[in-house]
Every structure is written in C-alpha cells, then in structure tokens.
Amino acid sequence: MAGRTLCREVFFSLLLMLFGCTDIAEYDNLLEGTISIYGQDMELIRRLEGISEARSIYASSGYILVFTGEGEILKLDSETLELKETVTIGEPGSTGYSIVAESPTEGTLYAIGPLATIYEIKLSTLEVTDAFVPCQAPAMIEASDAYPTYLFVADGFTNSVSVFRGTSNAFVSEWVSTFGAINTLASCQSETTLVACEYGVTALIMDQISGIQVRFPSPDHIDHMEYFPWFDLYI
C-alpha cells in the first residue's frame, strides 16, 4: 500500500503538470477553471470545479498551488483538494499569472503577472521576494537548475531572450532570435535552455564570463517542446 501511495503521489505531480494544467490554464467566458487528478492508469481520482479566474497550477508533494487572475495563490491539499491558504501576490489583471517557472536551486517560483511584471515567490512561505519588469512583453520564462540560477525570459515584442541572474534578478545578457518567431522555451540541464523558433531550434548556454553561448542550431520546426530529465527526451 505504501508503494502504491508513493507511486500515485509521483504520478499526481506529473499528471497535474501535463494534463491538469490544460484545464486550469484555459480562459473562457465563465472565468472558472477545473483541476482533474488522474492515477497512473489514467482513471479520474478527483476533480475540483468552479475555481474563479484560475490561470495555472504548480504541483508538489502534498500540495497544489493555483494561480488566479485576481493576483492570488490558492494552496490546496493534494489528497483532499481542501483549500489550506490564500495568499495575494500582486494586482488583478485580465492577463497574467498563466506562466509559472520553478527555480529548484533557490526554492522559488517565478510567475508572469500583469503589466509585464515577474513575481518571485518563496515556496516555503508563498512570500513575494521580488517583483520586476524584465522586458516589454514577457511571454515565456524558464529557470535553470544550476547554481547560480539563471532566469530566461522570452520577449514577445522584441523576439529575444533575456537572461537574469537568480537571487538578485540582475540582467546578464540578451539573445535576439535569427530563426524567426520564438515559439517556446525548455530549460534542460545546468545553465542550458533550448529555444524553439519558427525556423529552427537552438541551445542557449550561459557562461559566467562570456555571457550567452549559442550551440547546436537545428533547422527543425517545433511548435512546442518539453524536457524530461529521466528520459533525456525532448518533444
């Protein structure tokens, strides 16, 4: 039983990220979202409906964080979906809080809020430790799992990726795409983030001395990309 519970907990986190996020991130006329939790054989375990202004989720062991358009984080128990805590992190907005990235080495989350503001939230307390405007139109974010942490921010206005150093969130460097429009970012190993563009894929590798290094350009067209470290797999 213990093994099954542990396995289920792992799959809860995985499936909430891959499947539950689809439901909760979509924005419709009802302004409500749904969390659906599935077991490892894809049976529906539990469902919570009617979450007002739900935009995105972050799942971890024992709890789920729901980001809303009201500028709030709802902390739910992952077993019962009971609301444990509500924390206000920023201003309400018709856009924002739909993109979240984790910084595992810092124990924080980054969330794109309204007015081009990125909020850094400490996971242990849900306290906002920083709020800054990195560029004109932040559209995607990824954080590296190395130390020091680097935050990669894709700007939808300038079609570029800016890099910021973790903890201080100070600007480090910028890369402007020569492969057409940026479609997605995927943080993989250490200081590396993959960038899928309209006309190809490239790897941006941060070097503390020389800044961004561009590696492995590929002519492949990719609309969406995720990195799965346990398989070394890109999709």
Side-chain angles (χ1 to χ4, degrees):
M1 179 65 69
R4 182 179 178 183
T5 303
L6 176 61
C7 188
R8 175 172 289 185
E9 184 68 26
V10 171
F11 270 83
F12 276 179
S13 297
L14 175 62
L15 291 172
L16 277 166
M17 288 294 198
L18 298 183
F19 297 101
C21 188
T22 300
D23 290 334
I24 204 163
E26 292 182 353
Y27 188 83
D28 56 28
N29 293 330
L30 297 177
L31 302 180
E32 293 184 350
T34 299
I35 295 179
S36 299
I37 301 180
Y38 296 86
Q40 57 191 107
D41 56 356
M42 293 306 300
E43 83 278 13
L44 180 63
I45 303 293
R46 193 172 293 108
R47 174 171 289 161
L48 178 64
E49 299 180 339
I51 304 175
S52 178
E53 294 278 358
R55 299 293 173 79
S56 60
I57 61 173
Y58 169 81
S60 187
S61 177
Y63 66 90
I64 303 165
L65 302 181
V66 181
F67 289 76
T68 78
E70 295 297 326
E72 296 177 333
I73 298 178
L74 310 181
K75 186 174 184 178
L76 309 176
D77 184 281
S78 60
E79 289 291 335
T80 64
L81 293 185
E82 177 185 354
L83 178 62
K84 294 295 186 180
E85 188 177 3
T86 301
V87 178
T88 299
I89 62 170
E91 295 296 325
S94 58
T95 61
Y97 308 109
S98 59
I99 305 293
V100 177
E102 179 188 9
S103 172
T105 56
E106 293 187 300
T108 61
L109 289 178
Y110 289 95
I112 301 178
L115 303 177
T117 302
I118 289 183
Y119 295 90
E120 184 178 12
I121 302 114
K122 190 174 183 179
L123 274 171
S124 59
T125 62
L126 300 186
E127 173 191 4
V128 175
T129 58
D130 196 9
F132 62 102
V133 177
C135 56
Q136 295 186 60
M140 291 165 276
I141 51 176
E142 282 288 347
S144 67
D145 61 0
Y147 185 84
T149 297
Y150 290 104
L151 179 68
F152 296 80
V153 182
D155 188 337
F157 185 79
T158 61
N159 199 39
S160 63
V161 176
S162 295
V163 183
F164 298 83
R165 189 181 299 275
T167 307
S168 65
N169 294 321
F171 175 80
V172 177
S173 190
E174 181 185 38
W175 173 80
V176 179
S177 172
T178 56
F179 296 96
I182 296 174
N183 293 326
T184 188
L185 301 180
S187 180
C188 44
Q189 297 176 343
S190 300
E191 300 89 355
T192 304
T193 284
L194 295 178
V195 184
C197 302
E198 185 178 3
Y199 303 117
V201 181
T202 190
L204 304 183
I205 304 173
M206 275 306 305
D207 184 284
Q208 296 190 48
I209 298 176
S210 55
I212 295 179
Q213 303 293 307
V214 181
R215 297 286 188 272
F216 318 122
S218 165
D220 296 332
H221 173 84
I222 297 178
D223 291 315
H224 183 75
M225 178 171 53
E226 294 287 348
Y227 174 66
F228 298 91
W230 51 93
F231 291 126
D232 247 357
L233 172 68
Y234 302 92
I235 297 178

